[in-house]
C-alpha cells in the first residue's frame, strides 16, 4: 500500500451488519478485505481489559484474536474481549466466523451497545506485532482501545487493536446538538 493511508470509521463495526463490515469497507474502495481468527476462547484478563470490565486482572474473559488483512497484507491485529457471563459457550468463544459479526450476536443475546469509548495512542511495535503485521521495529503503530457499554453502562466488549500507523488514518465524526 506504500505511503497511502487507509481511512476508517468505527460505526459499521459497532452495529449489527448483514455482511462482513470489513469486506464491505474494502470492496467499496476496490480492495479485498479479509480476516483470520487466530485464537478464540477463555483467557486471563489482561490488566487493561480487567480495568475496562471492572474485574480483577487475571479473571477469565473470552477473547477473539483476529488478523485483519487488506489485499492479503496484514493491516491490523485485533483482540476482542467479552465478559465470561456473556460469551462463555457462545460463538464468541469459537474460531468460526459469526454471521453478521459480533455486534449482531451480542444483540441476539440481549447485549446492545449504546456508548463507545475509544483511546488511541502511538508506540513502536513489539517483536510479535512486527512479525504479525509485517512491520519493522522502527515503524510506529497505532493502538486503539475501545470499550462498548450497554444502556445500563455495563461493558459488553473491549477491543485492543494494533495497526501500522503509516498505513492508517482514523476518522471520527461527531454530531453536535
Amino acid at each position: 500500500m506504500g505511503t497511502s493511508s487507509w481511512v476508517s470509521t468505527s460505526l459499521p463495526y459497532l452495529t449489527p451488519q448483514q455482511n462482513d463490515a470489513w469486506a464491505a469497507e474494502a470492496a467499496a474502495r476496490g480492495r479485498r478485505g479479509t480476516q483470520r481468527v487466530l485464537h478464540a476462547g477463555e483467557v486471563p484478563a489482561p490488566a487493561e481489559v480487567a480495568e475496562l470490565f471492572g474485574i480483577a486482572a487475571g479473571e477469565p474473559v473470552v477473547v477473539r484474536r483476529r488478523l485483519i488483512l487488506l489485499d492479503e497484507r496484514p493491516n491490523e491485529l485485533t483482540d476482542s474481549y467479552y465478559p465470561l457471563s456473556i460469551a462463555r459457550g457462545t460463538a464468541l468463544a469459537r474460531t468460526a466466523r459469526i454471521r453478521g459479526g459480533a455486534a449482531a450476536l451480542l444483540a441476539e443475546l440481549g447485549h446492545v451497545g449504546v456508548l463507545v469509548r475509544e483511546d488511541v495512542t502511538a508506540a513502536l511495535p513489539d517483536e510479535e506485532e512486527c512479525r504479525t503485521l509485517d512491520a519493522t521495529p522502527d515503524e510506529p503503530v497505532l493502538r486503539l482501545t475501545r470499550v462498548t457499554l450497554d444502556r445500563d453502562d455495563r461493558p459488553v466488549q473491549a477491543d485492543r487493536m494494533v495497526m501500522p500507523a503509516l498505513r492508517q488514518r482514523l476518522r471520527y465524526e461527531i454530531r453536535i446538538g
Side-chain angles (χ1 to χ4, degrees):
M1 223 164 103
T3 59
S4 66
S5 63
W6 184 265
V7 178
S8 183
T9 61
S10 297
L11 188 59
Y13 303 95
L14 303 173
T15 54
Q17 301 289 314
Q18 294 291 339
N19 301 312
D20 181 328
W22 171 238
E25 182 179 351
R29 292 175 172 86
R31 310 290 292 274
R32 184 165 184 262
T34 57
Q35 58 182 295
R36 287 187 215 135
V37 178
L38 303 177
H39 172 79
E42 293 182 28
V43 297
E48 181 181 32
V49 171
E51 183 178 333
L52 292 170
F53 283 170
I55 62 175
E59 279 192 40
V61 293
V62 169
V63 68
R64 286 177 65 82
R65 171 167 268 211
R66 297 179 323 276
L67 180 61
I68 311 301
L69 302 153
L70 180 61
D71 297 330
E72 299 304 318
R73 182 174 186 199
N75 194 62
E76 179 180 306
L77 182 62
T78 299
D79 293 341
S80 296
Y81 295 88
Y82 306 92
L84 207 57
S85 61
I86 291 174
R88 179 181 262 166
T90 71
L92 294 168
R94 296 188 292 273
T95 57
R97 292 193 55 137
I98 299 172
R99 185 171 179 83
L105 178 58
L106 286 168
E108 285 176 28
L109 297 171
H111 304 283
V112 177
V114 299
L115 177 68
V116 170
R117 290 188 191 115
E118 291 185 348
D119 290 295
V120 181
T121 59
L124 293 175
D126 62 28
E127 286 183 33
E128 179 191 4
E129 292 164 348
C130 283
R131 271 192 316 276
T132 305
L133 293 170
D134 191 25
T136 61
D138 61 344
E139 181 182 357
V141 293
L142 295 176
R143 297 181 192 282
L144 188 148
T145 302
R146 172 192 301 147
V147 63
T148 304
L149 305 167
D150 68 11
R151 67 181 158 279
D152 296 319
D153 286 333
R154 289 182 303 226
V156 297
Q157 180 173 332
D159 300 293
R160 296 192 325 172
M161 297 164 241
V162 179
M163 52 202 109
L166 301 177
R167 298 182 221 159
Q168 300 291 330
R169 182 176 84 184
L170 305 177
R171 172 173 290 155
Y172 293 89
E173 291 184 21
I174 300 169
R175 189 170 305 280
I176 300 172

